[in-house]
Amino acid sequence: MASKDSYHITIDNTKDSSSVKLPMKEIPGDYGLPFIGAIKDRYDFYYNQGANGFFTSRMKKYDSTIFRTNVPPGPFNARNSKVVVLLDAVSYPILFDDSQVDKENYFEGTFMSSPAFNGGYKVCGFLGTTDPKHTTLKGLFLSTLTRLHDKYIPIFVSSISDMFTSLEKELSEKGTSYFNPLSDNLSFDFLFRLFCEGKNPVDTSVGTNGPKIVDKWVFLQLAPLITLGLKFVPNFLEDLVLHTFPLPYFLVKRDHMKLYNAFYTSMGDILDEAEKLGLKRDEACHNFVFLAGFNSYGGMKVFFPSLIKWIGTAGPALHSRLAKEIRAAVKEAGGVTLAAIEKMPLVKSVVYETLRMDPPVPFQTVKARKNIIVSNHEASFLIKKDELIFGFQPVATKDSKVFTNADKFNADRFIGYGEKLLKYVYWSNGKETDAPTVSNKQCPGKDLIVLLGRLMVVEFFLRYDTFEVEFGPLLLGSKVTFKSLTKATS
């Protein structure tokens, strides 16, 4: 049930959605002493409990998926660390309701990195939906992606072929192959060729260093949310350097300008279109560098290794099913086409399940535009105007009252009737069943990322029957290493 000043969804199970009146409760939790409370919670988050433990321990303490706490980075990177946390699938969509919440300046979390990283411009990701510039820029993103739609498959197939060649060579020479850098090269090569009229990035000012430049540029902006986990560096020293003050742009300025110049000199058609919309060419270029480098490459950096991790650990039984489905559909279509991919429900389900298990962007932050009533499964709560609302997606998308065996990877979860559960997959800063528009903050490349995930699985099992991997944690996402690879026998 919804009204002008409320947001209320109630579900009991996946087969029946009903609305019932829930009791109003005070939001549990507290922020501790000024400044000290924020620092204490920051140390819990990074060094004592870890992100997942930080949120789940408080959820158990307060017996509620909605509670108050401080979230990092806090002083002095963020002006306000006090938030209302949402950790269930029912309350979470309020974060996407732009009529009731404002996401301006909250792209990365409770803080905003310096505009210097983007040529002095406040790029689209940080703009509010009521800003006319947001409408213009996001409209340009969406129209560009629509125009380039026919290039997705051929460019990606070309880029991933190079990746497989490197993977096989390294596995043959060393006995193992570290997948992440190969995946990063694939992602950067694809995105650059897509937006830069097919040009090879190696032939530009970035040379072969594109992924490393983007990694450094993104790291300096996301440092307040990262812990290096280095045992020989005292926690207080890392916390002082990474989390207390913004890291300066000059550390990456030279490399970033190489990246910017490579895009600027290679995407003439897009910049021409931007000028027709009244945008400056340099502003448009910085926005596309952010879209390609921070949004898309940054997301793929987490997503692709996670996809391989989950498929790899599922074992030969799933591999056999995927290979059978993929090869039959491709044979019937006469090649890898969009029509063929749409006839692969298991592939699609595996991709969505990966995005549910390991959402590439774990945090969402918004500010309430007005007083809002938010409900979880058990109760309703009042969030007051101007309060910050913070979602930790890796817990919310494992809501056991929505998903059966929510903590376990289930390749078949979104097949058949399970497709109804896609409305609880939120990785794109919106429901998977919704579409990005100029008036919302959903990722403009949402459909592209899903398609590329499906393409990666398709191309993989056209070449190979099965494989083994080992994995571990990384700064962003999972570290994945191939131990064996069996070429296709049929």
Side-chain angles (χ1 to χ4, degrees):
M1 172 167 119
S3 66
K4 188 175 181 181
D5 292 304
S6 71
Y7 191 89
H8 187 103
I9 310 171
T10 304
I11 60 167
D12 293 319
N13 54 55
T14 60
K15 296 182 179 180
D16 177 47
S17 182
S18 59
S19 184
V20 297
K21 191 174 180 67
L22 295 172
M24 286 293 300
K25 291 186 177 181
E26 288 290 323
I27 300 175
D30 64 80
Y31 304 116
L33 295 173
F35 187 79
I36 295 174
I39 298 300
K40 178 183 179 301
D41 285 340
R42 186 164 84 194
Y43 267 73
D44 280 347
F45 182 92
Y46 290 119
Y47 306 116
N48 299 329
Q49 297 174 308
N52 199 73
F54 177 87
F55 291 109
T56 56
S57 65
R58 284 156 178 76
M59 181 171 68
K60 293 175 183 176
K61 176 182 178 181
Y62 301 122
D63 191 26
S64 176
T65 57
I66 298 177
F67 55 84
R68 298 183 183 277
T69 190
N70 297 289
V71 293
F76 297 94
N77 263 302
R79 296 169 64 182
N80 185 8
S81 64
K82 299 176 180 179
V83 302
V84 175
V85 174
L86 310 180
L87 294 180
D88 62 88
V90 175
S91 64
Y92 210 84
I94 189 61
L95 296 163
F96 316 135
D97 187 345
D98 296 292
S99 68
Q100 302 198 73
V101 301
D102 183 12
K103 200 168 172 60
E104 182 178 6
N105 298 337
Y106 295 118
F107 178 83
E108 299 155 324
T110 57
F111 71 104
M112 176 181 170
S113 56
S114 171
F117 286 94
N118 300 296
Y121 290 105
K122 188 175 178 178
V123 292
C124 187
F126 295 102
L127 296 176
T129 53
T130 59
D131 191 320
K133 186 66 70 68
H134 178 275
T135 300
T136 303
L137 285 166
K138 188 146 186 204
L140 178 61
F141 294 160
L142 293 172
S143 63
T144 299
L145 288 168
T146 298
R147 178 171 58 84
L148 297 174
H149 190 267
D150 291 343
K151 300 183 184 297
Y152 294 171
I153 293 179
I155 294 178
F156 191 78
V157 169
S158 174
S159 297
I160 203 170
S161 296
D162 293 338
M163 186 198 77
F164 286 132
T165 299
S166 299
L167 174 64
E168 290 182 19
K169 180 180 179 182
E170 187 172 334
L171 196 58
S172 173
E173 293 176 351
K174 300 179 180 179
T176 61
S177 179
Y178 182 23
F179 178 69
N180 296 66
L182 302 179
S183 175
D184 290 348
N185 287 334
L186 159 68
S187 300
F188 185 82
D189 184 75
F190 168 80
L191 291 164
F192 193 89
R193 289 176 186 270
L194 180 68
F195 291 122
C196 295
E197 302 171 13
K199 182 177 287 189
N200 188 333
V202 174
D203 299 327
T204 71
S205 54
V206 301
T208 59
N209 295 318
K212 293 180 181 178
I213 292 174
V214 178
D215 286 346
K216 183 178 178 181
W217 177 65
V218 170
F219 171 80
L220 290 174
Q221 295 176 77
L222 290 184
L225 298 177
I226 291 172
T227 178
L228 300 177
L230 301 176
K231 294 182 180 179
F232 56 85
V233 177
N235 291 343
F236 79 89
L237 182 60
E238 181 192 83
D239 189 61
L240 177 65
V241 173
L242 293 186
H243 310 142
T244 309
F245 302 100
L247 296 181
Y249 169 64
F250 76 81
L251 294 173
V252 74
K253 181 178 180 180
R254 183 178 178 182
D255 283 340
H256 176 242
M257 289 311 299
K258 288 181 181 179
L259 181 69
Y260 168 83
N261 288 330
F263 274 86
Y264 190 87
T265 58
S266 305
M267 51 187 295
D269 289 348
I270 293 176
L271 299 184
D272 289 344
E273 185 62 29
E275 278 194 310
K276 293 176 184 177
L277 297 173
L279 296 167
K280 296 178 181 178
R281 292 179 78 87
D282 68 324
E283 181 178 13
C285 186
H286 279 294
N287 270 275
F288 269 93
V289 170
F290 192 88
L291 174 68
F294 203 113
N295 284 33
S296 304
Y297 171 87
M300 293 177 191
K301 188 177 184 67
V302 176
F303 173 44
F304 286 160
S306 290
L307 184 60
I308 296 300
K309 173 189 75 175
W310 288 115
I311 295 174
T313 54
L318 175 61
H319 301 172
S320 176
R321 292 175 60 207
L322 285 168
K324 183 178 180 180
E325 177 182 87
I326 289 165
R327 294 168 194 176
V330 170
K331 182 179 180 180
E332 181 182 343
V336 178
T337 64
L338 289 173
I341 292 170
E342 287 301 320
K343 294 182 179 180
M344 304 175 189
L346 180 60
V347 172
K348 181 168 69 171
S349 181
V350 164
V351 168
Y352 283 136
E353 180 70 340
T354 297
L355 291 167
R356 183 189 73 86
M357 293 292 290
D358 292 333
V361 181
F363 311 124
Q364 276 81 31
T365 309
V366 298
K367 183 168 70 173
R369 295 185 187 272
K370 52 190 175 182
N371 289 353
I372 306 170
I373 302 294
V374 178
S375 300
N376 60 12
H377 296 283
E378 294 83 22
S380 296
F381 306 85
L382 172 64
I383 298 177
K384 294 181 179 179
K385 180 182 178 182
D386 293 331
E387 287 196 287
L388 291 186
I389 311 171
F390 185 94
F392 184 60
Q393 197 175 144
V395 172
T397 55
K398 297 183 183 72
D399 188 333
S400 61
K401 294 187 177 180
V402 172
F403 297 105
T404 304
N405 295 321
D407 290 329
K408 296 186 181 299
F409 180 85
N410 177 359
D412 298 280
R413 191 179 298 277
F414 298 105
I415 293 177
Y417 186 85
E419 284 195 87
K420 294 182 181 295
L421 293 171
L422 286 175
K423 62 184 177 181
Y424 303 114
V425 176
Y426 304 135
W427 72 274
S428 63
N429 197 46
K431 297 179 181 180
E432 190 58 34
T433 50
D434 292 341
T437 69
V438 297
S439 58
N440 66 26
K441 296 300 293 183
Q442 191 162 25
C443 174
K446 164 182 170 281
D447 294 336
L448 170 61
I449 298 300
V450 171
L451 173 62
L452 296 184
R454 293 161 78 178
L455 270 173
M456 173 168 277
V457 180
V458 168
E459 290 296 320
F460 197 97
F461 284 102
L462 286 176
R463 290 170 169 81
Y464 310 107
D465 282 339
T466 189
F467 63 98
E468 290 183 293
V469 295
E470 59 184 13
F471 66 92
L474 208 57
L475 285 183
L476 295 173
S478 301
K479 177 180 180 180
V480 176
T481 301
F482 276 84
K483 298 173 64 178
S484 69
L485 195 59
T486 304
K487 288 194 173 184
T489 54
S490 61

